[in-house]
Amino acid sequence: MASSIVPGNIDGTYPKAGQDNSSQGFRDNFTEIKNNFTTAASEITALQTNKASLNQSSDFANNEVIKAKFKNTSATVYAHGTVGGGTITLNHASGHYQTLTITADTTFTFLNFPSVGMGRIILDLTVSPGATTMTFPTALLKADNVHGADGTSDAIAPGLGRALYEFMSTDGGTTVLMHQLGKQYV
């Protein structure tokens, strides 16, 4: 962002020493100084408002961060807790890593996948006795290592234990790819 401050509008040679100077020159200089201070205040406020911050959440509004080098970062973990069936919404805005224990048949929906770029959710799922089927939206594309309860449907029989599933979308959640990252049976 180029600054709109114009220091060249101030006559640095005014007043002229040893001669009678018009008061208009003083007024012109003071007006230009005031205008530049007003512009500087506006630009500084914009910088403070739009900066990335170390002490609060910074929303980059889908702007790209280019050539960044990350070290020792972490992902947010969102714990759904234990659910006795019903519908669970995997909300991308809640975090990329979500944990859940299900004790009955559960239907999953997705919310807030980004409309720009690729969104990803890893679900760390524990399946307890009583849960026999997980049902997903029909737009879900399952990878080769995830099979429906009948071999073709969007209902999956997970078995007892713990599994990691990854869900990815590049079109805001209209189509979601699912694959299993790992599984530990009890």
Side-chain angles (χ1 to χ4, degrees), residues 146-161:
V146 180
H147 303 286
D150 63 3
T152 60
S153 74
D154 296 318
I156 298 170
L160 299 180

Side-chain angles (χ1 to χ4, degrees), residues 1-71:
M1 166 178 114
S3 176
S4 296
I5 298 171
V6 186
N9 287 352
I10 300 168
D11 184 355
T13 64
Y14 193 86
K16 308 266 189 250
Q19 68 182 41
D20 190 18
N21 292 283
S22 164
S23 62
Q24 185 62 46
F26 287 109
R27 286 191 297 277
D28 291 345
N29 269 351
F30 284 132
T31 298
E32 291 303 323
I33 291 169
K34 180 182 177 220
N35 290 343
N36 282 334
F37 272 126
T38 301
T39 301
S42 174
E43 291 177 2
I44 290 169
T45 299
L47 286 170
Q48 291 172 331
T49 301
N50 299 317
K51 70 173 173 44
S53 181
L54 296 176
N55 60 357
Q56 62 187 359
S57 178
S58 296
D59 183 348
F60 290 92
N62 288 326
N63 288 300
E64 287 187 19
V65 178
I66 300 171
K67 292 188 178 183
K69 183 177 182 180
F70 296 101
K71 182 178 182 179

Side-chain angles (χ1 to χ4, degrees), residues 2 7 16 26-27 30 71 76 86 88 97 99 102 104 119 132 149 167 172 174 176:
K16 308 266 189 250
F26 287 109
R27 286 191 297 277
F30 284 132
K71 182 178 182 179
T76 300
I88 291 293
Y97 194 91
T99 62
I102 58 173
T132 58
F167 305 93
T174 301
V176 178

Side-chain angles (χ1 to χ4, degrees), residues 67-154:
K67 292 188 178 183
K69 183 177 182 180
F70 296 101
K71 182 178 182 179
N72 196 22
T73 62
S74 64
T76 300
V77 176
Y78 180 79
H80 289 274
T82 300
V83 177
T87 300
I88 291 293
T89 300
L90 300 177
N91 186 346
H92 187 268
S94 295
H96 296 105
Y97 194 91
Q98 300 186 26
T99 62
L100 172 65
T101 298
I102 58 173
T103 61
D105 294 350
T106 304
T107 299
F108 291 87
T109 62
F110 299 98
L111 185 64
N112 289 324
F113 270 112
S115 59
V116 177
M118 189 268 296
R120 175 180 185 230
I121 297 172
I122 294 177
L123 176 62
D124 185 342
L125 179 69
T126 301
V127 180
S128 292
T132 58
T133 305
M134 300 185 307
T135 304
F136 292 92
T138 57
L140 187 81
L141 303 174
K142 295 185 289 291
D144 289 340
N145 64 349
V146 180
H147 303 286
D150 63 3
T152 60
S153 74
D154 296 318

Side-chain angles (χ1 to χ4, degrees), residues 156-178:
I156 298 170
L160 299 180
R162 183 176 177 195
L164 286 177
Y165 294 101
E166 181 176 40
F167 305 93
M168 295 182 291
S169 180
T170 59
D171 58 9
T174 301
T175 307
V176 178
L177 172 68
M178 171 188 188

